[in-house]
Amino acid sequence: MRTLAIDLGDRRVGLALSDEGGRFATPHEVLEVESSAAAIVPIIKLLAREEIKRVIVGLPLNMDDSLGPAAQKTIKWSRDLAVRAGIEVLLVDERLSSFEAEQQLTARKRAGEKLTRSRKKRQLDALAAANLLQAFPTANSNPSTSTTDKLPLQSYF
């Protein structure tokens, strides 16, 4: 099943796609938007064009597992996307996903890749979405695994 991962932001929305088998995640693009609401229409077009059957959205929980303003906004946005697109939307704990993406880009730069500050900024959100997507099958392959070392699915709908 083809899946789209979304790293939602107010100005940039990172997108990543899985392959048909759901094994590999690839950064797709970063949408530059005026608001997160403005990303819904281009995402709905992408869902149709790429025949995507499921969407996962990174949920920015607080470190104590509570829902702050950013998480509440993400839940509301995800509900809107699910209704408008008529597609399954799952929320996944995204804590530290941007940090992990930043570390990957830093390692690539150290290895000699030319990464300007603006290029790094553009790639960061799509890479964070790809990390969410890559972790998603792993998180669901063994339900008995502790949620402290996996990304648990969250159901707030």
Side-chain angles (χ1 to χ4, degrees):
M1 173 187 307
R2 198 111 196 256
T3 303
L4 173 70
I6 301 173
D7 183 39
L8 187 65
D10 289 327
R11 295 183 311 182
R12 287 186 309 278
V13 179
L15 305 175
L17 292 172
S18 76
D19 64 323
E20 190 62 43
R23 291 184 175 183
F24 301 104
T26 306
H28 181 68
E29 71 176 303
V30 175
L31 300 175
E32 302 275 345
V33 293
E34 294 290 321
S35 69
S36 56
I40 290 182
V41 170
I43 289 172
I44 290 173
K45 289 178 182 177
L46 176 67
L47 295 174
R49 185 173 62 246
E50 297 292 335
E51 299 178 6
I52 295 164
K53 302 296 183 214
R54 176 175 56 197
V55 174
I56 64 170
V57 178
L59 183 64
L61 294 171
N62 292 329
M63 293 309 278
D64 66 357
D65 290 336
S66 65
L67 296 173
Q72 291 171 353
K73 185 176 180 179
T74 299
I75 292 166
K76 183 179 181 302
W77 184 92
S78 298
R79 279 189 193 125
D80 190 26
L81 176 64
V83 168
R84 290 176 63 183
I87 194 166
E88 178 183 25
V89 176
L90 303 168
L91 299 170
V92 177
D93 183 352
E94 74 163 15
R95 285 177 289 191
L96 306 178
S97 65
S98 292
F99 175 77
E100 184 179 328
E102 180 91 35
Q103 294 298 311
Q104 290 172 318
L105 288 175
T106 299
R108 285 170 39 188
K109 188 170 184 174
R110 283 188 187 136
E113 187 173 335
K114 300 280 187 214
L115 280 175
T116 63
R117 190 166 188 252
S118 64
R119 184 168 177 230
K120 183 177 177 183
K121 207 173 185 181
R122 284 193 309 270
Q123 290 184 358
L124 184 64
D125 296 306
L127 187 55
N131 288 342
L132 286 173
L133 189 52
Q134 196 65 50
F136 178 74
T138 305
N140 295 294
S141 62
N142 185 357
S144 64
T145 304
S146 165
T147 59
T148 58
D149 60 354
K150 301 292 181 188
L151 294 172
L153 286 179
Q154 301 294 329
S155 177
Y156 294 98
F157 294 125

